[in-house]
Amino acid sequence: MSQNIFDNSAPNAQLADPALNRKVDALVARMTIEEKVGQLVQFSAGEATGPSSGRQSDDAMIAAGQVGAFLNVANAKEANVLQHIAVEKSRLHIPLMFGFDVIHGYKTIFPVPLGMAATFDPNLVEASARMAATEASADGIRWVFSPMVDIARDARWGRIVEGSGESPYLGAAMARAYVRGYQGTSLSNPDSVAACVKHFAAYGAAIAGRDYNAIDMSDLTLRQVYLPPYHAAIEAGAATVMSSFNSLNSVPATADAYTLTQILRKEWHFDGFVVSDWGAIGELMAHGVALDSAVAAQKAVLAGLDMDMESGAYHSRLGNLVQSNAVPPAALDEAVRRVLRVKFALGLFDHPYVNEAAAAYTATPEKRALARNAAEESIVLLQNRAQEGQPRLLPISPRVKTIALIGPMADSQSEMLGSWTGNGNPADAITLRTALEQRMQGAGGHVLYAEGTKILTSSTEGFESAKQAAQQADITILALGEDGPTMTGEAASRAHLDLPGNQEQLLDTIAATGKPVVLVLFSGRPLVLDWAAAHVPAILEAWYPGIEAGPALVDLLFGDANPSGKLPVSFPRAVGQEPLYLSQLPTGRPADGVDLTHPPTNGEEKYVSRYIDVPNSPLYPFGYGLSYTQFSYSPVKLNVSSMAVDQLMSASGIGTQNSPIVASVTVRNTGTVAGTEVAQLYLRIRGASVEEPVRMLEGFQRVTLQPGESKQLRFPLGFQELSFINAKSQRVVEPAEYTVFIGGDSTTTDSAKFTVMP
Ligand code: NOJ
């Protein structure tokens, strides 16, 4: 039985408001074709964030109403200068909209989005987005190119760092949180910014993890895996969408009426506007679906693409296309209406300027506290093995007096910010070295620092002094990783997933001293850590933690904070496993224990779906992360053992409290220190009309427990969690057997079953 659970005809009530739309219509009625086209044109007026042909607009164009929006203007004064021209000199006084890549903070830089996802803490994500909105709007930016909600299951893809990882459920939760944070209670608040959900659609599935590459996938997979986070953001009221660079099933997303009109407008009732990605309308020629920029502009606008970012094709061609009727005037009007709706909703017509005096920034203690909290929650303890006859290395014992701190990431402020650093200042970032030295001085100890090597070099010049430091110390902390700006993010796909340069050699050299080693890893993606996992007792995945990197890491290393981050992506054993993710479909010849309905074959069976040289399983699975305490789970309980489809259909929404099915479990802190656990619920569905993944995340809760304390957690399961996409692209619940797993990561075996009856 199918149901449209999102049958909400106005996901953003402000954009649908009749009074607002009357103003829009009245204005459109007064506009010339040239002025209309102008509203659909966006140019960069600052640092280029794509292939640049230099500044493409001038003051005369703004005064003539030929530009509707800018990007990459990131200071109040400059924004006001441009805005004055638009508002005072243009015939209809229509204000400009300023957009910017505010991805994980504007001036207060938080962990990169993949790190934010590792918090499994949507409230924290919302708070970080709220802070970013406040800071950005003070500089005149009322539109952020975020959240990036592309599901990414291939660690080779550099942009995996910009999103929330591999799970549609987690991705949707984070998408909603970002939108709520950016847009606040009303778009018209002066400190609200319009969110821009990107990149629509399925950009993360680029073949072979190579950026901008084509994508070919079934409609079922598109709807089941890739669309839910975009849809969740639209449902949360996101005012704008950015189309993606890729083609999907041989149609470039920039000119894809199926995604831009059928899905976004007709099925999801989206009332805001769609902006292209940088230069992407022009790129329709390279895609080979347009022989010139006129056809490119025509195809894009007819597909439902409203604003042209930077290609110039709308600016130079759209007017003629309308005059010659190659584009119906109504299509132009509709696109203009969508843009103006957002401008009116933001209150730009009433308050176009920004107070330049208010724009001064300092990283106040309040801002730092939130950034530190985010960093602490984002960092994942991957390994903390006790060595023979020794206690676990972490948290670092107060008896440790001398620490060697080695590695190219140990003292680099700019590396702490990762890719897309907004308007952040590296000088605001506190490195691990600074924070560690402060801490050790306070405790009467000291730090021996040696860079050891650069991120990408073959020179081993620094190895000797690093080795000496390690030999003189009680323990060594190695801070290694990828270069955030060039090796992660856009146009930064990698075919190798190991530590770049000779860092692995450095790790080997230091480990060979026999001194205990803690590896702190800075990366924007899962790396292949098989060597480190076998030879290094303690590993922390720090991602790029933001301005409070050092203090957060020191808190975690010394146990002042207890790690609670969980992996939002699977970590492979070898690159050849990629794309590697939890929610694989079953095969007729399952190989190992990932699919728990089949017993493990221990690599003895030949004719099964596996590699002959590496296990199928990840090195570190989705949802995984250690703590300094331990948690136990009671057996999973369900309030029902079966339920008829009809009865289930009455419960809609996400985990609504009146859902007829509730799974519960009691989590206990069985260790000796307080800690926070992320309890995770996974589903396996068998017996349906289509294959369902071996496991899917369908719920999570963060719970903080004192030693010995326990808490019962309830996970309501409604239509949203239990439904799936069938072969006809409908979201349905069918008679099937459901297994519910709950635990501290995706390998949990604690489970119970119920049946959905006809
Ligand atoms: C290209 C990127 O794909 C997109 O994410 C970004 O928002 C735009 N450039 C603008 O900088």
Side-chain angles (χ1 to χ4, degrees), residues 155-365:
R156 292 171 295 181
W157 193 49
R159 305 199 77 169
I160 194 171
V161 67
E162 293 178 51
S164 297
E166 68 178 54
S167 153
Y169 185 89
L170 178 63
M174 292 304 175
R176 284 188 281 272
Y178 280 108
V179 174
R180 281 197 303 264
Y182 289 135
Q183 299 195 167
T185 49
S186 164
L187 281 173
S188 64
N189 298 339
D191 65 353
S192 285
V193 296
C196 183
V197 189
K198 69 187 192 188
H199 306 81
F200 196 61
Y203 184 36
I207 291 172
R210 208 180 71 223
D211 208 359
Y212 316 123
N213 206 4
I215 290 157
D216 202 285
M217 71 168 59
S218 69
D219 201 52
L220 188 157
T221 299
L222 178 68
R223 289 172 183 272
Q224 175 108 341
V225 178
Y226 289 87
L227 293 188
Y230 307 107
H231 196 181
I234 301 299
E235 283 295 300
T240 78
V241 169
M242 187 186 293
S243 61
S244 51
F245 286 124
N246 57 280
S247 64
L248 177 61
N249 303 330
S250 304
V251 181
T254 312
D256 191 352
Y258 180 60
T259 48
L260 298 181
T261 297
Q262 171 58 31
I263 293 176
L264 196 54
R265 310 281 181 190
K266 296 200 174 143
E267 296 180 28
W268 298 354
H269 309 289
F270 173 65
D271 284 328
F273 72 84
V274 180
V275 65
S276 77
D277 205 338
W278 177 287
I281 297 179
E283 290 172 17
L284 291 174
M285 292 182 277
H287 278 283
V289 300
L291 294 180
D292 60 38
S293 61
V295 175
Q298 181 195 31
K299 287 200 169 181
V301 77
L302 293 181
L305 194 294
D306 305 308
M307 187 182 281
D308 175 359
M309 181 195 290
E310 191 65 16
S311 94
Y314 279 10
H315 170 69
S316 58
R317 303 294 205 156
L318 195 48
N320 287 342
L321 289 166
V322 174
Q323 258 143 6
S324 65
N325 240 338
V327 168
L332 175 66
D333 287 1
E334 186 48 33
V336 175
R337 254 187 233 115
R338 292 165 181 162
V339 172
L340 291 178
R341 251 180 232 148
V342 176
K343 288 189 176 181
F344 274 110
L346 284 168
L348 283 172
F349 285 85
D350 299 326
H351 305 287
Y353 306 114
V354 58
N355 176 359
E356 289 167 32
Y361 172 82
T362 26
T364 58

Side-chain angles (χ1 to χ4, degrees), residues 120-122 169-170 173 678-681 697-702 715:
F120 280 70
D121 190 347
Y169 185 89
L170 178 63
V678 179
Q680 303 154 44
L681 179 143
L697 180 74
E698 291 295 340
F700 61 84
Q701 288 179 44
R702 285 177 63 87
F715 291 87

